[in-house]
Amino acid sequence: MTVKPRILATRLFPNAVMERLSKTYDIVGTPTLAALSSVDILALSKQADAIFCDSTSRFDDEMITNLPKTVKMITTFSVGYDHLDVAAATHRGILLGNTPDVLTDATADIALLCMLGAARMAHSSAETLRNGAWESWAPTQFLGVHMSGKKLGILGMGRIGQAVARRARGFDMEIHYHNRRPVTARGLEEATYHGTLEELLPHCDFLSINCPLSDSTHHLINDTSIAMLPDGAVLVNTARGPIVEDAALIKALKTGKIASAGLDVFENEPKLNPNYLPLPNLFVLPHIGSATFETRDAMGFKCLDNLDAFFAGKNIPNPITL
Ligand code: 8YV
């Protein structure tokens, strides 16, 4: 009888993913909807050859150092990997994998939802209705701003940034972007590249954040960078919360420097800064960028493809490297 590799799934993933996982592998413990704590991960991983986690489980230097020698690989159910210390894992010889491409469209769709939600005051108008407080249609009620004809600045022109740009072209927006280097891709033929964030910001009637979180992007959007935006700009973040300093955004939403914001991510998820709550000009979602049935299955299958390749002694399809 062949011995199946043992996988620690840090929580329950979609049914089709768990089914495929259990056919090929021995699942360590009994995963539940809630993610395991670091303490439980460390304890259970003594029985595991690999870990299947998501972005809510942090594998920092200390965690990676404390993992038992049995663990040879970690595959994350996410494209972002700011929760994984890649240098520490590489040092320990632990291979890392992620799930690029399959969540590009779903996340770009949510960026557009956040843009529209913010620009068109979706939160305050819907809330007024649900609270039974809508008394009648009025010519100057719930007014927002057009997206058509406006300049959209995209910070980070990777796969998701490009998909946001293509969608925004459908809204007749003018695309500007900042990225480490210029990008040639479908739909970006007329996009304007800015070599620095400082050069991009004054062009952003709308700013969409689509870059990864790293030491260099942490709190990149702060009092100073917000001051460089045009008055009344709309800010959208579907990347990672800590790229934006919440306190600075809250201040700007209060003064109107930023007319409205659409956030799918924010600092200290899942706890939303309570100072956001009274703001009518905030459209906020609980990190649902990739939350479609199709995408979540596809993300899980990518994790399984990484595991299958690894345990077959092949190169994994989506490695995370330094
Ligand atoms: C994930 C995400 O669903 O893939 C990412 O980087 O931000 C999300 O869409 C989430 O992080 C769960 O791991």
Side-chain angles (χ1 to χ4, degrees):
M1 200 180 75
T2 48
V3 180
K4 291 177 176 178
R6 303 160 304 166
I7 310 298
L8 175 61
T10 57
R11 69 196 317 166
L12 274 177
F13 292 99
N15 286 343
V17 176
M18 294 310 290
E19 259 170 47
R20 197 179 125 187
L21 183 70
S22 62
K23 276 192 192 135
T24 322
Y25 301 100
D26 275 339
I27 299 176
V28 176
T30 311
T32 64
L33 274 181
L36 290 171
S37 67
S38 299
V39 172
D40 289 340
I41 292 176
L42 284 177
L44 286 167
S45 57
K46 291 190 183 107
Q47 307 159 44
D49 301 304
I51 298 177
F52 183 162
C53 70
D54 64 32
S55 65
T56 64
S57 296
R58 288 207 74 69
F59 287 85
D60 57 14
D61 192 359
E62 191 187 344
M63 180 78 176
I64 299 247
T65 307
N66 288 333
L67 281 176
K69 295 263 180 304
T70 51
V71 174
K72 311 279 183 329
M73 185 195 173
I74 302 172
T75 187
T76 180
F77 186 82
S78 62
V79 64
Y81 52 84
D82 46 282
H83 56 298
L84 306 176
D85 188 323
V86 184
T90 309
H91 182 69
R92 271 283 314 266
I94 296 175
L95 196 63
L96 302 175
N98 70 338
T99 67
D101 298 316
V102 290
L103 41 66
T104 301
D105 286 336
T107 309
D109 288 348
I110 290 294
L112 269 289
L113 176 64
C114 286
M115 283 167 72
L116 278 169
R120 300 301 299 272
M121 305 304 278
H123 167 74
S124 55
S125 56
E127 190 184 46
T128 305
L129 176 63
R130 281 178 181 266
N131 288 344
W134 190 47
E135 287 170 356
S136 78
W137 184 92
T140 56
Q141 197 181 37
F142 307 136
L143 300 187
V145 292
H146 263 292
M147 283 169 53
S148 327
K150 297 285 166 58
K151 292 180 183 149
L152 167 64
I154 299 180
L155 174 57
M157 197 48 101
R159 303 176 193 84
I160 298 173
Q162 291 172 30
V164 170
R166 283 195 291 277
R167 282 159 175 71
R169 290 290 298 131
F171 282 80
D172 293 326
M173 300 186 89
E174 184 182 308
I175 310 298
H176 293 250
Y177 70 101
H178 168 58
N179 197 49
R180 266 177 301 180
R181 55 190 83 84
V183 172
T184 316
R186 179 171 63 88
L188 294 188
E189 296 80 8
E190 292 164 19
T192 306
Y193 175 69
H194 298 270
T196 64
L197 177 65
E198 290 71 23
E199 282 168 36
L200 172 73
L201 290 172
H203 299 279
C204 300
D205 297 323
F206 286 70
L207 171 65
S208 174
I209 298 165
N210 297 105
C211 58
L213 173 63
S214 66
D215 288 346
S216 58
T217 61
H218 184 264
H219 283 186
L220 199 54
I221 303 302
N222 52 31
D223 284 333
T224 311
S225 45
I226 287 174
M228 293 179 209
L229 287 166
D231 290 345
V234 176
L235 183 142
V236 166
N237 188 6
T238 53
R240 283 291 182 266
I243 299 169
V244 176
E245 190 178 0
D246 277 343
L249 177 57
I250 289 165
K251 206 190 311 167
L253 285 168
K254 281 185 180 160
T255 61
K257 170 68 191 177
I258 292 189
S260 55
L263 305 180
D264 185 43
V265 292
F266 44 86
E267 287 194 272
N268 304 316
E269 289 173 21
K271 297 250 177 295
L272 183 68
N273 184 321
N275 296 327
Y276 274 125
L277 293 177
L279 301 178
N281 47 353
L282 175 72
F283 177 81
V284 63
L285 297 169
H287 200 146
I288 59 166
S290 65
T292 67
F293 292 108
E294 298 92 331
T295 298
R296 291 282 166 85
D297 280 354
M299 289 166 71
F301 295 147
K302 281 228 161 192
C303 286
L304 289 163
D305 294 344
N306 284 336
L307 291 170
D308 291 353
F310 178 71
F311 287 107
K314 297 181 185 154
N315 288 335
I316 70 166
N318 294 112
I320 301 171
T321 49
L322 271 176

